[in-house]
């Protein structure tokens, strides 16, 4: 029993359920437990629960947990007061179990893979005399963990609703990436255990307004992606002859961000005429530093090229609009006019870049190319007028006329 705002006692109603069980997996199978973690021939203890509490009038809270003994576990806490606010905190995680492989590389988990001490290079895998003694298991797969929280406040002011949501998601694990040091038919290809350590933060906010004649919504969405690794480098286990490098390097997914502002709504102009609209503008940015175009210390007369800028300075704007006016001027007659805009404005700087097509051969001059990046932009507009007339209960006549431009 608690006291309400008027100091009157209020009874609380609660309900609790707890489920405990054992799960047995008869055989090892990564495919069977790909998204749950039930990959091994084993017995797993699992737990589910649900707890709810309410005053029977307006206030409520719920706390639930699912599959807490598995890698695919989740926890949810929701609470609120009817007609005033709702809030939540959610946590969940999902594995992706692919397979267990083997690698010779040291430094697994970092962005620099090196050969084991005493490794004997060879022109092909038949000459890898130290292969068996240096193989190590590595589990290829990921685990995604997400924490989200938010609230919705009703009647912030008259007819106004405020919604706020934030989430942070981390994805860790390993994936396989193909690599090549050398050229087609003569290079050394390796399958690398590449680390994954991604974080994505997302924030959204919306302000909504509703009255008897219309509804409007102003919203913001922001997202930032962080990669804890900016590159992946490795030592080649194959022979490092003068015409072939002994090291390789590649870029990985760059840090980036997106922000979007949008406005939508609908308004009843008359009893038979309605207007709806949606407009948004988004900005996408990416400015991770470029990597050098060569890391081949054993190839003579090769140095990284100087580039016109240190990063792409990627900057893209996306515009979207959809406007619609519908009316029923006569009984049985429906008219609708609409306009759609899709516009991509790529303001990424345009420059000439020079790089080695293949820095593992002599002379390197025949493998140099210079090209200019071409930022892609376009504008697409669509105009359309629809008309329909119901002749009787079994027949209807309809048609439309449209016009579309693409630049």
């Amino acid at each position: 029993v608690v006291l309400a705002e008027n100091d009157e006692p209020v009874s609380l109603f609660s309900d609790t359920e707890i489920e405990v069980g054992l799960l047995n997996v008869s055989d090892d199978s990564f495919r069977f437990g790909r998204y749950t973690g039930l990959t091994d021939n084993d017995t797993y203890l699992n737990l589910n629960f649900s707890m709810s509490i309410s005053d029977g009038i307006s206030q409520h809270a719920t706390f639930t947990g699912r599959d807490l003994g598995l890698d695919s576990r989740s926890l949810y806490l929701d609470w609120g007061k009817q007609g005033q606010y709702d809030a939540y905190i959610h946590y969940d995680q999902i594995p992706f179990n692919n397979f267990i492989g083997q690698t010779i590389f040291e430094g697994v988990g970092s962005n620099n893979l090196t050969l084991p001490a005493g490794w004997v290079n060879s022109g092909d895998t038949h000459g890898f005399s130290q292969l068996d003694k240096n193989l190590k298991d590595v589990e290829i797969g990921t685990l995604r963990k997400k924490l989200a929280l938010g609230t919705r406040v009703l009647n912030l002011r008259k007819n106004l609703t405020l919604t706020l949501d934030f989430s942070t998601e981390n994805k860790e694990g390993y994936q396989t990436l193909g690599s090549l040091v050398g050229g087609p038919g003569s290079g050394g290809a390796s399958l690398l255990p590449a680390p994954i350590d991604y974080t994505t933060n997302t924030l959204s906010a919306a302000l909504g307004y509703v009255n008897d004649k219309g509804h409007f919504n102003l919203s913001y969405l922001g997202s930032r992606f962080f990669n804890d690794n900016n590159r992946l480098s490795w030592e080649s286990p194959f022979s490092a002859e003068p015409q072939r490098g002994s090291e390789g390097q590649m870029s990985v997914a760059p840090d980036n961000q997106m922000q979007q502002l949008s406005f939508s709504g609908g308004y009843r102009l008359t009893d038979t005429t309605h207007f709806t609209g949606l407009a948004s503008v988004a900005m996408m940015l990416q400015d991770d530093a470029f990597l050098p175009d060569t890391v081949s210390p054993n190839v003579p007369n090769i140095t990284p090229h100087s580039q016109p800028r240190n990063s792409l300075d990627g900057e893209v704007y996306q515009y979207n609009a959809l406007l619609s006016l519908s009316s029923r001027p006569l009984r049985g007659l429906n008219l609708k006019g609409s306009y759609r805009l899709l516009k991509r404005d790529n303001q990424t700087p345009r420059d000439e870049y020079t790089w080695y097509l293949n820095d593992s051969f002599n002379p390197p001059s025949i493998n140099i190319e210079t090209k200019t990046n071409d930022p892609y932009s376009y504008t697409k507009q669509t105009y359309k007028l629809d008309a329909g007339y119901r002749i009787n209960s079994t027949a209807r006549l309809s048609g439309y006329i449209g016009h579309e431009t693409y630049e």
Side-chain angles (χ1 to χ4, degrees):
V1 177
V2 297
L3 294 180
E5 294 179 356
N6 57 5
D7 293 333
E8 292 292 331
V10 176
S11 298
L12 295 180
F13 302 91
S14 63
D15 184 29
T16 301
E17 294 182 7
I18 299 176
E19 180 184 60
V20 180
L22 296 175
L23 302 173
N24 180 262
V25 179
S26 60
D27 297 286
D28 294 344
S29 175
F30 266 76
R31 182 170 292 276
F32 175 77
R34 176 159 289 179
Y35 301 104
T36 61
L38 298 171
T39 57
D40 300 329
N41 176 9
D42 204 349
T43 299
Y44 299 81
L45 176 66
N46 198 21
L47 171 66
N48 299 322
F49 73 86
S50 176
M51 302 172 60
S52 62
I53 187 170
S54 170
D55 64 1
I57 302 175
S58 61
Q59 300 185 76
H60 62 89
T62 303
F63 186 33
T64 60
R66 292 287 180 268
D67 294 327
L68 299 184
L70 308 182
D71 289 340
S72 54
R73 63 181 63 100
S74 60
L75 286 167
Y76 300 96
L77 175 61
D78 303 85
W79 72 97
K81 188 173 184 179
Q82 184 176 347
Q84 294 190 20
Y85 72 91
D86 292 300
Y88 70 89
I89 300 176
H90 292 175
Y91 172 82
D92 65 81
Q93 60 182 51
I94 298 178
F96 175 70
N97 299 294
N98 201 355
F99 64 92
I100 294 180
Q102 291 185 312
T103 183
I104 61 168
F105 290 105
E106 302 288 344
V108 173
S110 71
N111 57 12
N112 185 30
L113 301 176
T114 59
L115 295 173
W119 178 260
V120 178
N121 292 64
S122 175
D124 56 49
T125 56
H126 292 91
F128 286 169
S129 60
Q130 303 299 306
L131 177 63
D132 291 341
K133 65 182 295 185
N134 287 289
L135 288 174
K136 299 173 287 291
D137 287 346
V138 56
E139 185 171 330
I140 303 300
T142 58
L143 180 63
R144 179 186 66 83
K145 300 178 181 180
K146 183 177 181 180
L147 176 65
L149 53 93
T151 185
R152 183 177 61 138
V153 182
L154 307 173
N155 297 318
L156 182 67
R157 295 287 295 273
K158 185 178 181 180
N159 300 332
L160 280 178
T161 299
L162 175 65
T163 304
L164 296 172
D165 296 281
F166 173 79
S167 68
T168 179
E169 178 178 306
N170 178 253
K171 184 178 181 181
E172 293 184 334
Y174 297 96
Q175 62 179 333
T176 55
L177 290 180
S179 65
L180 178 68
V181 174
S186 61
S190 303
L191 204 57
L192 307 177
I196 294 176
D197 192 352
Y198 302 157
T199 300
T200 303
N201 295 332
T202 304
L203 173 67
S204 64
L207 187 64
Y209 175 81
V210 179
N211 62 20
D212 294 337
K213 300 194 68 174
H215 60 91
F216 305 95
N217 191 74
L218 177 65
S219 61
Y220 165 82
L221 174 64
S223 176
R224 297 204 66 174
F225 171 81
F226 302 93
N227 191 344
D228 197 51
N229 300 292
N230 66 346
R231 62 180 176 84
L232 179 63
S233 61
W234 70 98
E235 293 180 342
S236 174
F238 297 89
S239 296
E241 301 170 3
Q243 74 274 16
R244 189 183 304 165
S246 62
E247 296 180 14
Q249 180 174 259
M250 69 174 73
S251 60
V252 292
D255 294 356
N256 59 81
Q257 61 173 298
M258 184 278 293
Q259 299 186 68
Q260 177 181 275
L261 187 66
S262 61
F263 179 79
S264 63
Y267 191 75
R268 178 165 53 88
L269 300 173
T270 68
D271 289 342
T272 59
T273 304
H274 297 80
F275 173 80
T276 59
L278 167 67
S280 67
V281 56
M283 176 181 66
M284 293 164 281
L285 305 175
Q286 191 273 104
D287 62 352
D288 261 17
F290 287 139
L291 298 177
D293 62 326
T294 180
V295 288
S296 297
N298 292 339
V299 180
N301 303 319
I302 280 193
T303 56
H305 288 98
S306 177
Q307 305 298 348
R309 57 185 58 252
N310 294 325
S311 72
L312 178 67
D313 287 331
E315 185 175 345
V316 180
Y317 294 87
Q318 187 81 28
Y319 302 91
N320 291 278
L322 177 60
L323 307 177
S324 176
L325 181 67
S326 60
S327 180
R328 182 179 291 181
L330 300 174
R331 183 176 181 179
L333 177 63
N334 295 283
L335 300 175
K336 180 180 179 181
S338 63
Y339 169 75
R340 178 71 185 266
L341 169 69
L342 294 173
K343 181 178 180 180
R344 177 184 175 91
D345 181 16
N346 194 336
Q347 297 187 13
T348 302
R350 197 168 185 264
D351 285 296
E352 279 193 349
Y353 296 91
T354 302
W355 73 97
Y356 295 103
L357 289 176
N358 192 326
D359 59 354
S360 302
F361 290 96
N362 274 330
S365 58
I366 65 174
N367 293 292
I368 295 176
E369 185 160 331
T370 298
K371 283 192 175 182
T372 302
N373 67 308
D374 190 13
Y376 180 65
S377 300
Y378 67 86
T379 300
K380 180 181 178 181
Q381 300 183 81
T382 305
Y383 307 83
K384 190 176 180 182
L385 177 63
D386 295 87
Y389 183 73
R390 182 174 296 279
I391 300 173
N392 53 44
S393 60
T394 60
R396 175 181 173 84
L397 181 66
S398 62
Y400 74 91
I401 183 172
H403 177 68
E404 184 174 282
T405 63
Y406 195 95
E407 299 176 355

